[in-house]
Coordinates of all heavy atoms in Angstrom, one line a residue:
M190 N -15.6 -5.8 -8.5 CA -15.5 -5.9 -9.9 C -16.7 -5.2 -10.6 O -17.8 -5.3 -10.2 CB -15.6 -7.4 -10.3 CG -15.1 -7.7 -11.6 SD -15.0 -9.5 -12.0 CE -14.2 -10.2 -10.6
V191 N -16.3 -4.3 -11.6 CA -17.3 -3.5 -12.3 C -17.6 -4.1 -13.6 O -16.7 -4.5 -14.3 CB -16.7 -2.1 -12.4 CG1 -17.7 -1.2 -13.2 CG2 -16.4 -1.5 -11.1
R192 N -18.9 -4.2 -14.0 CA -19.3 -4.7 -15.3 C -19.8 -3.5 -16.1 O -20.6 -2.7 -15.7 CB -20.4 -5.7 -15.2 CG -19.9 -7.0 -14.6 CD -21.0 -8.0 -14.4 NE -21.6 -8.4 -15.6 CZ -21.6 -9.6 -16.1 NH1 -21.0 -10.5 -15.5 NH2 -22.2 -9.9 -17.2
L193 N -19.2 -3.3 -17.3 CA -19.6 -2.2 -18.2 C -19.9 -2.8 -19.6 O -19.2 -3.6 -20.1 CB -18.5 -1.2 -18.4 CG -18.0 -0.4 -17.2 CD1 -16.9 0.5 -17.6 CD2 -19.2 0.4 -16.6
N194 N -21.0 -2.3 -20.2 CA -21.2 -2.6 -21.6 C -20.3 -1.6 -22.4 O -19.8 -0.6 -22.0 CB -22.7 -2.4 -22.0 CG -23.5 -3.6 -21.6 OD1 -23.1 -4.7 -22.0 ND2 -24.6 -3.4 -20.9
I195 N -20.0 -2.0 -23.7 CA -19.1 -1.3 -24.5 C -19.5 0.2 -24.6 O -18.6 1.1 -24.5 CB -19.0 -1.9 -25.9 CG1 -18.4 -3.3 -25.8 CG2 -18.2 -1.1 -26.9 CD1 -18.5 -4.1 -27.1
H196 N -20.7 0.5 -24.8 CA -21.2 1.9 -25.0 C -20.8 2.7 -23.7 O -20.3 3.8 -23.8 CB -22.7 2.0 -25.3 CG -23.1 3.4 -25.4 ND1 -22.8 4.2 -26.4 CD2 -23.9 4.2 -24.5 CE1 -23.4 5.4 -26.2 NE2 -24.0 5.4 -25.0
E197 N -21.1 2.2 -22.6 CA -20.8 2.9 -21.3 C -19.3 3.1 -21.2 O -18.8 4.1 -20.7 CB -21.3 2.0 -20.1 CG -21.0 2.6 -18.8 CD -21.7 3.8 -18.4 OE1 -22.7 4.2 -19.0 OE2 -21.3 4.4 -17.3
A198 N -18.5 2.1 -21.5 CA -17.0 2.2 -21.4 C -16.5 3.3 -22.3 O -15.6 4.1 -22.0 CB -16.4 0.8 -21.7
K199 N -17.0 3.3 -23.6 CA -16.6 4.3 -24.5 C -16.9 5.7 -24.1 O -16.2 6.6 -24.3 CB -17.2 4.0 -25.9 CG -16.6 2.9 -26.7 CD -17.3 2.5 -28.0 CE -17.9 3.6 -28.7 NZ -18.6 3.2 -30.0
T200 N -18.1 5.8 -23.5 CA -18.6 7.1 -23.1 C -18.0 7.7 -21.8 O -17.7 8.8 -21.7 CB -20.1 7.1 -23.0 OG1 -20.7 6.6 -24.2 CG2 -20.7 8.5 -22.8
H201 N -17.8 6.8 -20.9 CA -17.4 7.2 -19.5 C -16.2 6.5 -18.9 O -16.0 6.4 -17.7 CB -18.6 7.0 -18.6 CG -19.8 7.7 -19.0 ND1 -20.0 9.0 -18.9 CD2 -21.0 7.2 -19.4 CE1 -21.2 9.4 -19.3 NE2 -21.8 8.3 -19.7
L202 N -15.3 6.1 -19.8 CA -14.1 5.3 -19.2 C -13.3 6.2 -18.2 O -12.9 5.6 -17.2 CB -13.2 4.9 -20.4 CG -12.0 4.1 -20.0 CD1 -12.5 2.8 -19.3 CD2 -11.1 3.7 -21.2
S203 N -13.2 7.5 -18.5 CA -12.4 8.3 -17.5 C -13.0 8.3 -16.1 O -12.2 8.4 -15.1 CB -12.3 9.7 -18.0 OG -13.5 10.3 -18.2
R204 N -14.3 8.1 -16.0 CA -14.9 8.0 -14.6 C -14.4 6.7 -13.9 O -14.4 6.7 -12.6 CB -16.4 7.8 -14.7 CG -17.1 9.0 -15.2 CD -18.6 8.7 -15.1 NE -19.3 9.8 -15.7 CZ -20.6 9.8 -16.0 NH1 -21.3 8.7 -15.6 NH2 -21.2 10.8 -16.5
Y205 N -14.0 5.7 -14.6 CA -13.6 4.4 -14.0 C -12.1 4.3 -13.7 O -11.7 3.4 -13.1 CB -14.1 3.3 -14.8 CG -15.6 3.3 -14.8 CD1 -16.3 3.8 -15.9 CD2 -16.4 2.7 -13.8 CE1 -17.7 3.8 -15.9 CE2 -17.8 2.7 -13.8 CZ -18.4 3.3 -14.9 OH -19.8 3.3 -14.9
L206 N -11.3 5.3 -14.3 CA -9.9 5.2 -14.1 C -9.4 5.2 -12.6 O -8.5 4.4 -12.2 CB -9.2 6.3 -14.9 CG -9.2 6.2 -16.4 CD1 -8.5 7.4 -17.0 CD2 -8.7 4.9 -16.9
P207 N -10.0 6.0 -11.7 CA -9.6 5.9 -10.3 C -9.9 4.5 -9.7 O -9.0 4.1 -8.9 CB -10.5 7.0 -9.6 CG -10.9 7.9 -10.7 CD -11.0 7.1 -12.0
L208 N -10.9 3.9 -10.1 CA -11.1 2.5 -9.6 C -10.0 1.5 -10.1 O -9.6 0.7 -9.3 CB -12.5 2.0 -10.1 CG -13.7 2.7 -9.5 CD1 -15.0 2.1 -10.1 CD2 -13.8 2.5 -8.0
L209 N -9.6 1.7 -11.4 CA -8.5 0.9 -11.9 C -7.3 1.1 -11.1 O -6.5 0.2 -10.8 CB -8.3 1.1 -13.4 CG -9.4 0.6 -14.3 CD1 -9.2 1.1 -15.7 CD2 -9.4 -0.9 -14.3
E210 N -7.0 2.4 -10.8 CA -5.8 2.7 -10.1 C -5.8 2.1 -8.7 O -4.7 1.8 -8.1 CB -5.6 4.2 -10.0 CG -5.3 4.9 -11.3 CD -5.2 6.4 -11.2 OE1 -5.9 7.0 -10.3 OE2 -4.6 7.0 -12.1
Q211 N -7.0 1.9 -8.1 CA -7.1 1.2 -6.8 C -7.0 -0.3 -6.8 O -7.2 -0.9 -5.8 CB -8.4 1.7 -6.1 CG -8.4 3.2 -5.8 CD -9.8 3.6 -5.4 OE1 -10.7 2.8 -5.1 NE2 -10.0 4.9 -5.4
G212 N -6.9 -0.8 -8.1 CA -6.8 -2.3 -8.2 C -8.1 -3.0 -8.6 O -8.1 -4.2 -8.7
E213 N -9.1 -2.2 -8.9 CA -10.4 -2.8 -9.3 C -10.2 -3.4 -10.7 O -9.4 -2.9 -11.5 CB -11.5 -1.7 -9.3 CG -12.9 -2.2 -9.6 CD -13.4 -3.0 -8.4 OE1 -13.4 -2.6 -7.3 OE2 -13.8 -4.2 -8.7
T214 N -11.0 -4.4 -11.1 CA -11.1 -5.0 -12.4 C -12.4 -4.6 -13.0 O -13.4 -4.6 -12.4 CB -11.0 -6.5 -12.3 OG1 -9.7 -6.8 -11.7 CG2 -11.0 -7.1 -13.7
I215 N -12.3 -4.2 -14.3 CA -13.5 -3.9 -15.1 C -13.8 -5.0 -16.1 O -12.9 -5.4 -16.8 CB -13.4 -2.6 -15.8 CG1 -13.3 -1.4 -14.8 CG2 -14.6 -2.4 -16.8 CD1 -13.0 -0.1 -15.5
I216 N -15.0 -5.6 -16.0 CA -15.4 -6.6 -17.0 C -16.1 -5.9 -18.1 O -17.1 -5.2 -17.9 CB -16.3 -7.6 -16.3 CG1 -15.6 -8.3 -15.1 CG2 -16.7 -8.7 -17.4 CD1 -14.4 -9.1 -15.4
L217 N -15.6 -6.0 -19.3 CA -16.2 -5.3 -20.5 C -17.1 -6.3 -21.1 O -16.8 -7.5 -21.4 CB -15.1 -4.9 -21.4 CG -15.5 -4.0 -22.6 CD1 -16.1 -2.7 -22.1 CD2 -14.3 -3.7 -23.5
C218 N -18.4 -5.9 -21.3 CA -19.4 -6.7 -21.9 C -20.0 -6.2 -23.2 O -20.0 -5.0 -23.5 CB -20.6 -6.8 -20.9 SG -20.1 -7.4 -19.2
K219 N -20.4 -7.2 -24.0 CA -21.1 -6.9 -25.3 C -22.5 -7.5 -25.1 O -22.6 -8.7 -25.0 CB -20.4 -7.5 -26.4 CG -21.0 -7.2 -27.8 CD -20.1 -7.7 -28.9 CE -20.6 -7.3 -30.2 NZ -19.8 -7.8 -31.3
R220 N -23.5 -6.6 -25.0 CA -24.9 -7.0 -24.8 C -25.0 -7.9 -23.5 O -25.5 -9.0 -23.5 CB -25.4 -7.8 -26.0 CG -25.5 -6.9 -27.2 CD -26.2 -7.7 -28.3 NE -26.3 -6.8 -29.5 CZ -26.0 -7.1 -30.7 NH1 -25.6 -8.3 -30.9 NH2 -26.1 -6.3 -31.7
N221 N -24.3 -7.4 -22.5 CA -24.3 -8.0 -21.1 C -23.6 -9.4 -21.1 O -23.7 -10.1 -20.1 CB -25.7 -8.2 -20.6 CG -26.3 -6.8 -20.3 OD1 -25.6 -5.9 -19.8 ND2 -27.6 -6.7 -20.6
V222 N -22.8 -9.7 -22.1 CA -22.0 -11.0 -22.1 C -20.6 -10.6 -22.0 O -20.0 -9.8 -22.8 CB -22.2 -11.8 -23.4 CG1 -21.3 -13.0 -23.5 CG2 -23.7 -12.1 -23.6
P223 N -19.9 -11.0 -20.9 CA -18.5 -10.6 -20.7 C -17.6 -11.1 -21.9 O -17.7 -12.2 -22.3 CB -18.1 -11.4 -19.4 CG -19.4 -11.7 -18.8 CD -20.4 -11.9 -19.8
I224 N -16.7 -10.1 -22.3 CA -15.8 -10.4 -23.4 C -14.4 -10.1 -23.1 O -13.4 -10.6 -23.7 CB -16.2 -9.7 -24.7 CG1 -16.2 -8.2 -24.5 CG2 -17.5 -10.2 -25.2 CD1 -16.4 -7.4 -25.8
A225 N -14.1 -9.3 -22.1 CA -12.7 -8.9 -21.7 C -12.7 -8.3 -20.3 O -13.7 -7.9 -19.7 CB -12.3 -7.8 -22.7
E226 N -11.4 -8.3 -19.8 CA -11.2 -7.7 -18.5 C -10.2 -6.5 -18.7 O -9.3 -6.6 -19.5 CB -10.5 -8.7 -17.6 CG -11.4 -9.7 -17.0 CD -10.6 -10.6 -16.0 OE1 -9.4 -10.5 -15.8 OE2 -11.3 -11.3 -15.3
I227 N -10.4 -5.5 -18.0 CA -9.5 -4.4 -18.0 C -8.9 -4.3 -16.5 O -9.7 -4.2 -15.6 CB -10.2 -3.0 -18.3 CG1 -10.8 -3.1 -19.7 CG2 -9.1 -1.9 -18.3 CD1 -11.7 -1.9 -20.1
K228 N -7.6 -4.4 -16.4 CA -7.0 -4.4 -15.1 C -5.9 -3.3 -15.1 O -5.3 -3.0 -16.1 CB -6.3 -5.7 -14.8 CG -7.2 -6.9 -14.7 CD -6.5 -8.1 -14.4 CE -7.4 -9.3 -14.2 NZ -6.7 -10.5 -13.7
S229 N -5.5 -2.9 -13.9 CA -4.4 -2.0 -13.7 C -3.1 -2.7 -13.9 O -3.0 -3.9 -13.7 CB -4.4 -1.3 -12.4 OG -4.3 -2.2 -11.3
I230 N -2.1 -2.0 -14.3 CA -0.8 -2.6 -14.5 C 0.0 -2.4 -13.2 O -0.1 -1.3 -12.5 CB 0.0 -1.9 -15.6 CG1 -0.8 -2.1 -16.9 CG2 1.4 -2.3 -15.7 CD1 -0.2 -1.3 -18.1
E231 N 0.7 -3.5 -12.8 CA 1.5 -3.4 -11.5 C 2.5 -2.2 -11.6 O 3.1 -2.0 -12.7 CB 2.3 -4.7 -11.3 CG 1.4 -5.8 -10.8 CD 2.2 -7.0 -10.5 OE1 3.4 -6.9 -10.1 OE2 1.6 -8.1 -10.5
K232 N 2.7 -1.5 -10.5 CA 3.7 -0.4 -10.5 C 5.1 -1.0 -10.6 O 5.4 -2.1 -10.0 CB 3.5 0.4 -9.3 CG 2.2 1.2 -9.3 CD 2.0 2.1 -8.1 CE 0.7 2.8 -8.3 NZ 0.5 3.7 -7.2
R233 N 5.9 -0.3 -11.3 CA 7.3 -0.8 -11.4 C 8.1 -0.6 -10.1 O 7.8 0.4 -9.3 CB 8.1 -0.1 -12.5 CG 7.6 -0.5 -13.8 CD 8.5 0.2 -14.9 NE 8.6 -0.8 -16.0 CZ 9.6 -0.9 -16.7 NH1 10.7 -0.3 -16.5 NH2 9.6 -1.8 -17.7
R234 N 9.0 -1.4 -9.8 CA 9.8 -1.3 -8.6 C 10.6 0.0 -8.7 O 11.2 0.3 -9.7 CB 10.7 -2.6 -8.6 CG 11.5 -2.7 -7.3 CD 12.4 -4.0 -7.4 NE 11.8 -5.1 -8.0 CZ 11.0 -6.0 -7.3 NH1 10.8 -5.7 -6.1 NH2 10.5 -7.0 -7.9
T235 N 10.7 0.7 -7.6 CA 11.4 2.0 -7.6 C 12.9 1.8 -7.3 O 13.7 2.6 -7.7 CB 10.8 3.0 -6.7 OG1 10.7 2.4 -5.4 CG2 9.4 3.4 -7.1
K236 N 13.2 0.8 -6.5 CA 14.6 0.5 -6.2 C 14.9 -0.9 -6.5 O 14.1 -1.8 -6.3 CB 15.0 0.9 -4.8 CG 14.2 0.2 -3.7 CD 14.5 0.8 -2.4 CE 13.7 0.1 -1.3 NZ 14.1 0.5 0.0
P237 N 16.2 -1.3 -6.9 CA 16.5 -2.6 -7.2 C 16.5 -3.5 -5.9 O 16.6 -3.1 -4.8 CB 17.9 -2.5 -7.7 CG 18.4 -1.2 -7.2 CD 17.3 -0.3 -7.0
R238 N 16.2 -4.8 -6.2 CA 16.3 -5.8 -5.1 C 17.7 -5.9 -4.5 O 18.7 -5.8 -5.3 CB 15.8 -7.2 -5.6 CG 14.4 -7.3 -6.0 CD 14.1 -8.7 -6.3 NE 12.9 -8.7 -7.2 CZ 12.8 -9.4 -8.3 NH1 13.7 -10.3 -8.5 NH2 11.8 -9.3 -9.1
E239 N 17.7 -6.2 -3.3 CA 19.0 -6.4 -2.6 C 19.5 -7.8 -2.9 O 18.7 -8.8 -2.8 CB 18.9 -6.2 -1.1 CG 18.6 -4.8 -0.7 CD 19.7 -3.8 -0.9 OE1 20.9 -4.2 -0.8 OE2 19.4 -2.7 -1.3
P240 N 20.8 -8.0 -3.3 CA 21.3 -9.4 -3.5 C 21.2 -10.2 -2.2 O 21.4 -9.6 -1.1 CB 22.7 -9.1 -3.8 CG 22.8 -7.7 -4.3 CD 21.8 -7.0 -3.6
G241 N 20.7 -11.4 -2.3 CA 20.6 -12.3 -1.1 C 19.4 -12.1 -0.3 O 19.3 -12.6 0.8
F242 N 18.3 -11.4 -0.8 CA 17.2 -11.1 0.0 C 16.4 -12.4 0.3 O 15.6 -12.3 1.3 CB 16.3 -10.0 -0.7 CG 15.5 -10.5 -1.8 CD1 14.1 -10.8 -1.7 CD2 16.1 -10.6 -3.1 CE1 13.4 -11.2 -2.8 CE2 15.3 -11.0 -4.2 CZ 14.0 -11.3 -4.0
L243 N 16.6 -13.5 -0.3 CA 15.9 -14.8 0.0 C 16.9 -15.7 0.7 O 16.5 -16.9 0.9 CB 15.4 -15.4 -1.3 CG 14.2 -14.7 -2.0 CD1 13.9 -15.4 -3.3 CD2 13.0 -14.6 -1.1
K244 N 18.0 -15.3 1.1 CA 19.0 -16.1 1.8 C 18.3 -16.8 3.0 O 17.6 -16.2 3.8 CB 20.2 -15.3 2.3 CG 21.3 -16.2 2.9 CD 22.5 -15.3 3.2 CE 23.6 -16.2 3.7 NZ 24.8 -15.5 3.9
G245 N 18.5 -18.2 3.1 CA 18.0 -18.9 4.2 C 16.5 -19.4 4.0 O 16.0 -20.1 4.8
Q246 N 15.9 -19.0 2.9 CA 14.5 -19.4 2.7 C 14.3 -20.6 1.8 O 13.3 -21.2 1.8 CB 13.7 -18.2 2.0 CG 13.6 -17.0 3.0 CD 12.7 -16.0 2.4 OE1 11.8 -16.2 1.6 NE2 12.9 -14.7 2.9
F247 N 15.4 -21.1 1.2 CA 15.4 -22.3 0.5 C 16.8 -22.9 0.4 O 17.8 -22.2 0.7 CB 14.8 -22.2 -0.9 CG 15.6 -21.3 -1.9 CD1 16.5 -21.8 -2.7 CD2 15.4 -19.9 -1.9 CE1 17.3 -21.0 -3.5 CE2 16.2 -19.1 -2.7 CZ 17.1 -19.7 -3.5
E248 N 16.9 -24.1 0.0 CA 18.2 -24.8 -0.1 C 18.3 -25.5 -1.4 O 17.4 -26.2 -1.9 CB 18.3 -25.8 1.1 CG 19.6 -26.6 1.1 CD 19.6 -27.6 2.2 OE1 18.8 -27.6 3.1 OE2 20.5 -28.5 2.1
V249 N 19.5 -25.3 -2.0 CA 19.8 -26.0 -3.3 C 20.6 -27.2 -2.9 O 21.8 -27.1 -2.4 CB 20.5 -25.1 -4.3 CG1 20.9 -25.9 -5.5 CG2 19.7 -23.9 -4.6
T250 N 20.1 -28.4 -3.1 CA 20.8 -29.6 -2.7 C 21.8 -30.1 -3.8 O 21.7 -29.6 -4.9 CB 19.8 -30.8 -2.4 OG1 19.1 -31.1 -3.6 CG2 18.8 -30.4 -1.3
D251 N 22.6 -31.0 -3.5 CA 23.6 -31.5 -4.5 C 22.9 -32.2 -5.7 O 23.4 -32.2 -6.8 CB 24.6 -32.5 -3.9 CG 25.5 -31.8 -2.9 OD1 25.7 -30.6 -3.1 OD2 26.1 -32.5 -2.0
A252 N 21.7 -32.7 -5.4 CA 20.9 -33.4 -6.5 C 20.6 -32.4 -7.6 O 20.4 -32.9 -8.8 CB 19.6 -34.0 -5.9
F253 N 20.5 -31.2 -7.3 CA 20.2 -30.2 -8.4 C 21.3 -30.2 -9.5 O 21.0 -29.9 -10.6 CB 20.2 -28.8 -7.7 CG 19.9 -27.7 -8.7 CD1 18.7 -27.4 -9.2 CD2 21.0 -26.9 -9.2 CE1 18.5 -26.4 -10.1 CE2 20.8 -25.9 -10.1 CZ 19.5 -25.6 -10.6
F254 N 22.5 -30.5 -9.1 CA 23.6 -30.5 -10.1 C 23.9 -31.8 -10.8 O 24.8 -31.9 -11.6 CB 24.9 -30.0 -9.3 CG 24.7 -28.6 -8.8 CD1 24.5 -28.4 -7.4 CD2 24.8 -27.5 -9.6 CE1 24.3 -27.1 -6.9 CE2 24.7 -26.2 -9.1 CZ 24.4 -26.1 -7.7
E255 N 23.1 -32.8 -10.4 CA 23.3 -34.1 -11.1 C 22.7 -34.1 -12.5 O 21.8 -33.3 -12.8 CB 22.6 -35.2 -10.2 CG 23.3 -35.4 -8.9 CD 22.6 -36.5 -8.1 OE1 21.6 -37.1 -8.5 OE2 23.0 -36.6 -6.9
P256 N 23.2 -34.9 -13.4 CA 22.7 -35.0 -14.8 C 21.2 -35.4 -14.8 O 20.8 -36.1 -13.9 CB 23.6 -36.0 -15.5 CG 24.8 -36.1 -14.6 CD 24.4 -35.8 -13.2
L257 N 20.5 -34.9 -15.8 CA 19.1 -35.3 -15.9 C 19.0 -36.7 -16.4 O 19.8 -37.2 -17.1 CB 18.4 -34.3 -16.9 CG 18.2 -32.9 -16.5 CD1 17.7 -32.1 -17.7 CD2 17.3 -32.7 -15.3
P258 N 17.9 -37.4 -16.1 CA 17.6 -38.7 -16.6 C 17.5 -38.6 -18.1 O 17.1 -37.6 -18.7 CB 16.3 -39.2 -16.0 CG 16.1 -38.2 -14.8 CD 16.8 -37.0 -15.1
D259 N 17.8 -39.7 -18.8 CA 17.8 -39.7 -20.3 C 16.5 -39.3 -20.9 O 16.4 -38.6 -21.9 CB 18.3 -41.1 -20.8 CG 19.8 -41.3 -20.6 OD1 20.5 -40.3 -20.5 OD2 20.2 -42.5 -20.6
D260 N 15.4 -39.9 -20.3 CA 14.1 -39.6 -20.9 C 13.7 -38.1 -20.7 O 13.1 -37.5 -21.7 CB 13.0 -40.5 -20.3 CG 12.9 -40.3 -18.8 OD1 13.9 -39.9 -18.1 OD2 11.8 -40.6 -18.2
L261 N 14.1 -37.5 -19.6 CA 13.8 -36.1 -19.4 C 14.7 -35.2 -20.3 O 14.2 -34.2 -21.0 CB 14.0 -35.7 -18.0 CG 13.6 -34.3 -17.6 CD1 12.1 -34.0 -17.9 CD2 13.8 -34.1 -16.1
L262 N 15.9 -35.6 -20.5 CA 16.8 -34.9 -21.4 C 16.4 -34.9 -22.8 O 16.4 -34.0 -23.5 CB 18.2 -35.4 -21.2 CG 19.4 -34.7 -21.9 CD1 19.4 -33.3 -21.5 CD2 20.7 -35.4 -21.7
A263 N 15.9 -36.1 -23.2 CA 15.4 -36.3 -24.6 C 14.2 -35.4 -24.8 O 14.0 -34.8 -25.9 CB 15.0 -37.8 -24.8
A264 N 13.3 -35.3 -23.8 CA 12.1 -34.4 -23.9 C 12.5 -32.9 -24.1 O 12.0 -32.2 -24.9 CB 11.2 -34.6 -22.7
F265 N 13.5 -32.5 -23.4 CA 14.0 -31.1 -23.5 C 14.6 -30.9 -24.9 O 14.5 -29.8 -25.5 CB 15.1 -30.8 -22.5 CG 14.5 -30.3 -21.2 CD1 14.5 -31.1 -20.1 CD2 13.9 -29.0 -21.1 CE1 13.9 -30.6 -18.9 CE2 13.4 -28.5 -19.9 CZ 13.4 -29.3 -18.8
E266 N 15.3 -31.9 -25.5 CA 15.9 -31.8 -26.8 C 15.0 -32.1 -27.9 O 15.4 -32.0 -29.1 CB 17.1 -32.7 -26.8 CG 18.2 -32.3 -25.8 CD 19.4 -33.3 -25.8 OE1 19.3 -34.4 -26.3 OE2 20.4 -32.9 -25.2
G267 N 13.7 -32.4 -27.6 CA 12.7 -32.7 -28.7 C 12.9 -34.0 -29.4 O 12.6 -34.1 -30.6
R268 N 13.4 -35.0 -28.8 CA 13.6 -36.3 -29.4 C 13.0 -37.4 -28.5 O 12.6 -37.1 -27.4 CB 15.1 -36.6 -29.7 CG 16.0 -36.5 -28.4 CD 17.4 -36.8 -28.8 NE 18.3 -36.5 -27.7 CZ 18.5 -37.4 -26.7 NH1 18.0 -38.6 -26.8 NH2 19.3 -37.1 -25.7
E269 N 12.8 -38.5 -29.1 CA 12.2 -39.7 -28.4 C 13.2 -40.2 -27.5 O 14.4 -40.2 -27.7 CB 11.8 -40.8 -29.4 CG 10.7 -40.4 -30.3 CD 9.3 -40.3 -29.7 OE1 9.1 -41.1 -28.7 OE2 8.6 -39.4 -30.0
S270 N 12.8 -40.8 -26.3 CA 13.7 -41.4 -25.4 C 14.4 -42.6 -26.1 O 13.7 -43.4 -26.7 CB 12.9 -41.8 -24.2 OG 13.8 -42.4 -23.2
G271 N 15.7 -42.7 -25.9 CA 16.4 -43.8 -26.5 C 16.9 -43.5 -27.9 O 17.7 -44.2 -28.5
E272 N 16.5 -42.4 -28.5 CA 16.9 -42.0 -29.9 C 18.2 -41.2 -29.7 O 18.3 -40.4 -28.8 CB 15.8 -41.1 -30.4 CG 16.0 -40.6 -31.8 CD 14.9 -39.7 -32.2 OE1 13.7 -40.1 -32.2 OE2 15.1 -38.5 -32.6
E273 N 19.1 -41.4 -30.5 CA 20.4 -40.7 -30.5 C 20.5 -39.6 -31.5 O 20.3 -39.2 -32.4 CB 21.6 -41.6 -30.7 CG 21.7 -42.6 -29.5 CD 22.1 -41.9 -28.2 OE1 22.9 -40.9 -28.1 OE2 21.5 -42.3 -27.1

């Protein structure tokens, strides 16, 4: 993790770009007090995921398809439990 004061970042940011590309995080400071993080952006996937790539890694049981309890359903709908 690299710590930079604002002046250093404004003056020499291009020097630190290779570190960002390698996954390093820059902590931006104002008078040596951290105020922000600069991180690299994840690279986009170049090819689409294959359908079924997680097959066999989890199971959806029949309970998944059962109706929600009234209190949970009321919370999703933004109303008090028991209110119609």
Side-chain angles (χ1 to χ4, degrees):
M190 200 171 311
V191 177
R192 290 174 64 112
L193 294 178
N194 278 308
I195 294 171
H196 177 73
E197 175 73 11
K199 284 175 31 179
T200 308
H201 301 291
L202 184 60
S203 60
R204 289 184 190 172
Y205 296 96
L206 291 179
L208 293 174
L209 287 169
E210 289 174 338
Q211 296 170 11
E213 188 70 53
T214 299
I215 294 176
I216 303 296
L217 190 58
C218 301
K219 183 176 185 178
R220 296 186 179 133
N221 294 322
V222 177
I224 59 170
E226 285 185 350
I227 303 173
K228 295 181 177 185
S229 61
I230 297 174
E231 287 185 26
K232 293 184 179 177
R233 289 187 147 216
R234 187 181 319 277
T235 56
K236 57 183 180 178
R238 289 187 208 139
E239 293 291 323
F242 74 100
L243 291 176
K244 186 174 184 175
Q246 294 187 24
F247 66 93
E248 180 182 344
V249 178
T250 65
D251 290 337
F253 177 80
F254 299 100
E255 292 177 8
L257 293 174
D259 289 336
D260 59 336
L261 187 56
L262 188 57
F265 273 108
E266 294 175 346
R268 56 184 172 82
E269 295 289 325
S270 184
E272 181 183 306
E273 290 297 320

